[in-house]
Amino acid sequence: NSGDMAKAMKSYIAAANGGYCSAMKKLGEIYGKGNDVVPRDYAAQIKWINKAKQACADIGANDKADLKR
Protein backbone atom coordinates (compact mmCIF):
# COMPACT_ATOMS: atom_id res chain seq x y z
CA ASN A 1 0.00 0.00 0.00
CA SER A 2 1.01 3.64 -0.25
CA GLY A 3 1.89 3.87 3.46
CA ASP A 4 4.46 1.12 3.05
CA MET A 5 5.91 2.80 -0.04
CA ALA A 6 6.17 6.12 1.80
CA LYS A 7 8.11 4.38 4.60
CA ALA A 8 10.29 2.62 2.04
CA MET A 9 11.06 5.91 0.31
CA LYS A 10 12.15 7.46 3.61
CA SER A 11 14.43 4.48 4.19
CA TYR A 12 15.87 4.58 0.66
CA ILE A 13 16.52 8.32 0.93
CA ALA A 14 18.20 7.93 4.33
CA ALA A 15 20.37 5.07 3.04
CA ALA A 16 21.23 6.91 -0.17
CA ASN A 17 22.19 10.04 1.75
CA GLY A 18 24.31 7.74 3.94
CA GLY A 19 26.31 6.66 0.89
CA TYR A 20 24.72 3.33 -0.05
CA CYS A 21 24.96 3.11 -3.83
CA SER A 22 22.30 0.37 -4.09
CA ALA A 23 19.79 2.71 -2.43
CA MET A 24 20.82 5.49 -4.82
CA LYS A 25 20.26 3.14 -7.76
CA LYS A 26 16.86 2.09 -6.44
CA LEU A 27 15.79 5.72 -6.02
CA GLY A 28 16.81 6.36 -9.62
CA GLU A 29 14.63 3.43 -10.71
CA ILE A 30 11.68 4.58 -8.59
CA TYR A 31 11.83 8.17 -9.82
CA GLY A 32 12.19 6.95 -13.41
CA LYS A 33 8.99 4.93 -13.25
CA GLY A 34 6.98 6.77 -10.61
CA ASN A 35 4.38 5.08 -8.42
CA ASP A 36 1.40 5.83 -6.16
CA VAL A 37 3.57 7.81 -3.74
CA VAL A 38 6.28 9.26 -5.97
CA PRO A 39 5.50 10.96 -9.27
CA ARG A 40 7.81 10.27 -12.22
CA ASP A 41 10.66 12.78 -11.99
CA TYR A 42 13.37 12.48 -14.61
CA ALA A 43 15.59 15.12 -12.98
CA ALA A 44 15.56 13.17 -9.70
CA GLN A 45 16.14 9.95 -11.63
CA ILE A 46 19.26 11.35 -13.30
CA LYS A 47 20.48 12.84 -10.01
CA TRP A 48 20.30 9.51 -8.16
CA ILE A 49 21.64 7.42 -11.05
CA ASN A 50 24.66 9.73 -11.35
CA LYS A 51 25.24 9.63 -7.59
CA ALA A 52 25.01 5.82 -7.70
CA LYS A 53 27.53 5.63 -10.54
CA GLN A 54 29.98 7.77 -8.55
CA ALA A 55 29.41 5.91 -5.27
CA CYS A 56 29.70 2.49 -6.91
CA ALA A 57 32.81 3.58 -8.82
CA ASP A 58 34.38 4.78 -5.57
CA ILE A 59 33.54 1.49 -3.87
CA GLY A 60 35.01 -0.44 -6.78
CA ALA A 61 38.21 1.60 -6.70
CA ASN A 62 38.56 1.08 -2.95
CA ASP A 63 38.01 -2.68 -3.30
CA LYS A 64 40.67 -2.89 -6.00
CA ALA A 65 43.13 -0.90 -3.88
CA ASP A 66 42.52 -3.25 -0.94
CA LEU A 67 43.23 -6.27 -3.14
CA LYS A 68 46.61 -4.86 -4.15
CA ARG A 69 47.83 -4.54 -0.55
Side-chain angles (χ1 to χ4, degrees):
N1 71 34
S2 62
D4 291 339
M5 182 47 117
K7 288 179 187 176
M9 283 300 292
K10 287 181 182 181
S11 295
Y12 282 129
I13 290 169
N17 286 329
Y20 289 93
C21 73
S22 59
M24 294 174 198
K25 243 171 107 173
K26 186 65 176 175
L27 283 172
E29 293 170 9
I30 292 169
Y31 281 113
K33 294 178 184 175
N35 59 40
D36 293 344
V37 174
V38 180
R40 184 179 293 165
D41 183 339
Y42 291 121
Q45 177 190 23
I46 291 168
K47 169 189 158 182
W48 287 111
I49 294 295
N50 286 336
K51 284 185 173 213
K53 285 180 182 178
Q54 183 61 48
C56 292
D58 289 346
I59 290 168
N62 289 338
D63 289 345
K64 289 175 187 173
D66 288 342
L67 290 173
K68 290 180 181 177
R69 291 182 190 169

